[in-house]
Amino acid sequence: MTKQELLEKIKKGFILEKKEDMNEEYFEALRQTLTIVADTELLSVPPLLTVYDQAPSLNLKITALAVMQDEIGHAHIAWRLLKDLGEDIESLMFKREPNRWKNPYAFDFKLDNWIELGVFNAFFDRAGYTLLGDAYKHTTYGPWKRALVKVDKEELFHLRNGEVIMRNAMKNPETAKQVQEAVDWMFLMALEFFGVADNLKSRSAQLEYKLKGSTNDELRQIWLSTAVPFCESIGVKVPAHYDEKTGKYVLDVPFPCEFDVEKKKWNFDKPDTWENVVKRFKARGPQNKEFVERVQRGYYELENLRKEVV
């Protein structure tokens, strides 16, 4: 099938169900999309594990564990779809070097306290909900669309859990300070979650083949449209506001801008370029190796055990 033939079928509402329905370009775009989703879902768990035992109640700890279980399940869905497409998921999961994983940069950092777990859920699960909700509405790949019915609802639960933690924390001056500190470094990280600016992308196979329906900048606006009002409603300051003239949310700081990795702080007086941001992404964050090895550890322990038995 030629590209034009496939695009014409998609325009008429064709839903692809198997690899044989695809051309090479569609398959590669789908493969990349599912790999990023799988990596993102799985590697959202190690940061949460760094502080979940600080939960102030058993109920909150159980909820945090349920969120992590959901994320592992979401990763499993994406891996299974990749396997059905003929990909070697054992190599993808256990034999890739840590710096080759495609999870968001923010997931390469340990969390400092329980409140950061709440902001993590409220911001990054909101980003996941925004991205995957868009995919659910628009994707032309049938198995992925059906799987996202479950994923979408669970991501909404995760972000609501984060909102509850943030809202309750704002009632106490000490924990309110922790909320603001977490927001100060996570807010722009969540905006980076959606990828480079639209004007730097000459074309997008994901949009062309309707694997998603909105551009990176459009998705950022969708995220801002719920994140900013929520933060304002509970008294949290964010570097963005709604502009009545343009009908869009506008940032009050340079974006992108330089990030101090050691201090987990944005240098707003030092605007940056997307080229440098991509370099930072590829260099990975401080806990990248530790977190990936934690995920892979059981595989190699089992391999060593098998060798000992033999």
Side-chain angles (χ1 to χ4, degrees):
M1 189 186 307
T2 67
K3 176 177 181 177
Q4 194 56 42
E5 287 172 338
L6 180 54
L7 289 176
E8 283 297 322
K9 291 181 72 174
I10 287 172
K11 188 176 180 180
K12 294 175 182 177
F14 179 60
I15 299 296
L16 293 81
E17 293 291 341
K18 53 188 183 299
K19 191 173 181 180
E20 288 72 22
D21 294 332
M22 308 170 193
N23 62 14
E24 188 59 35
E25 189 176 38
Y26 184 102
F27 171 76
E28 184 59 25
L30 177 63
R31 186 192 66 79
Q32 290 179 355
T33 299
L34 292 175
T35 301
I36 292 170
V37 169
D39 290 0
T40 297
E41 298 285 7
L42 190 58
L43 287 182
S44 69
V45 176
L48 300 177
L49 279 172
T50 61
V51 294
Y52 95 98
D53 59 348
Q54 297 178 23
S57 71
L58 179 60
N59 185 55
L60 286 171
K61 181 176 286 191
I62 291 171
T63 302
L65 288 171
V67 168
M68 287 184 266
Q69 182 175 320
D70 286 345
E71 303 292 21
I72 293 170
H74 299 170
H76 175 77
I77 290 170
W79 293 124
R80 181 54 190 263
L81 291 174
L82 284 165
K83 184 177 181 180
D84 291 344
L85 291 167
E87 292 297 289
D88 179 4
I89 62 170
E90 183 172 320
S91 293
L92 282 172
M93 292 177 68
F94 303 114
K95 297 179 182 179
R96 263 187 303 164
E97 292 298 316
N99 64 355
R100 300 303 297 274
W101 285 62
K102 305 296 184 181
N103 58 288
Y105 183 74
F107 293 6
D108 287 344
F109 290 81
K110 289 182 178 178
L111 301 183
D112 292 331
N113 52 62
W114 168 255
I115 301 303
E116 283 201 335
L117 181 146
V119 180
F120 188 104
N121 281 167
F123 280 9
F124 301 130
D125 285 284
R126 185 185 306 275
Y129 180 69
T130 301
L131 279 164
L132 298 178
D134 178 82
Y136 171 66
K137 291 177 185 176
H138 299 286
T139 186
T140 52
Y141 183 50
W144 184 221
K145 189 177 187 72
R146 292 189 290 274
L148 286 172
V149 174
K150 174 182 187 297
V151 174
D152 212 37
K153 291 177 180 177
E154 290 173 347
E155 292 292 356
L156 180 60
F157 159 64
H158 301 170
L159 80 86
R160 293 295 185 229
N161 178 62
E163 287 182 346
V164 169
I165 292 172
M166 289 177 67
R167 185 179 289 109
N168 288 335
M170 291 302 292
K171 298 174 183 177
N172 178 289
E174 183 179 341
T175 51
K177 181 173 180 290
Q178 291 180 324
V179 172
Q180 188 63 62
E181 289 171 347
V183 168
D184 288 344
W185 77 269
M186 289 190 191
F187 189 86
L188 291 191
M189 285 282 182
L191 293 179
E192 288 186 347
F193 197 106
F194 299 100
V196 301
D198 289 352
N199 63 351
L200 299 179
K201 294 176 73 70
S202 58
R203 57 186 294 273
S204 172
Q206 288 179 319
L207 286 170
E208 199 171 12
Y209 289 107
K210 294 189 177 179
L211 290 171
K212 70 175 189 176
S214 304
T215 68
N216 293 353
D217 288 340
E218 288 169 345
L219 290 167
R220 260 187 280 273
Q221 280 293 315
I222 294 170
W223 185 90
L224 286 164
S225 72
T226 59
V228 173
F230 167 71
C231 287
E232 291 176 343
S233 73
I234 62 172
V236 175
K237 296 178 182 178
V238 293
H241 69 277
Y242 183 72
D243 183 70
E244 295 285 350
K245 291 183 179 179
T246 62
K248 293 183 178 181
Y249 282 86
V250 177
L251 294 179
D252 304 321
V253 296
F255 179 73
C257 68
E258 188 178 284
F259 182 68
D260 187 322
V261 176
E262 291 186 4
K263 295 180 180 179
K264 283 204 298 190
K265 182 179 179 182
W266 297 98
N267 296 323
F268 296 134
D269 59 336
K270 296 180 180 179
D272 210 342
T273 65
W274 275 108
E275 182 181 4
N276 286 337
V277 172
V278 171
K279 287 180 181 178
R280 167 161 55 84
F281 288 174
K282 290 182 177 179
R284 303 309 320 181
Q287 268 72 52
N288 168 250
K289 188 171 185 291
E290 175 189 338
F291 286 168
V292 172
E293 288 180 347
R294 182 170 190 172
V295 168
Q296 296 175 335
R297 186 183 307 146
Y299 174 84
Y300 287 102
E301 287 177 352
L302 185 58
E303 284 292 295
N304 292 334
L305 182 60
R306 285 172 178 165
K307 290 176 183 177
E308 291 175 7
V309 172
V310 172

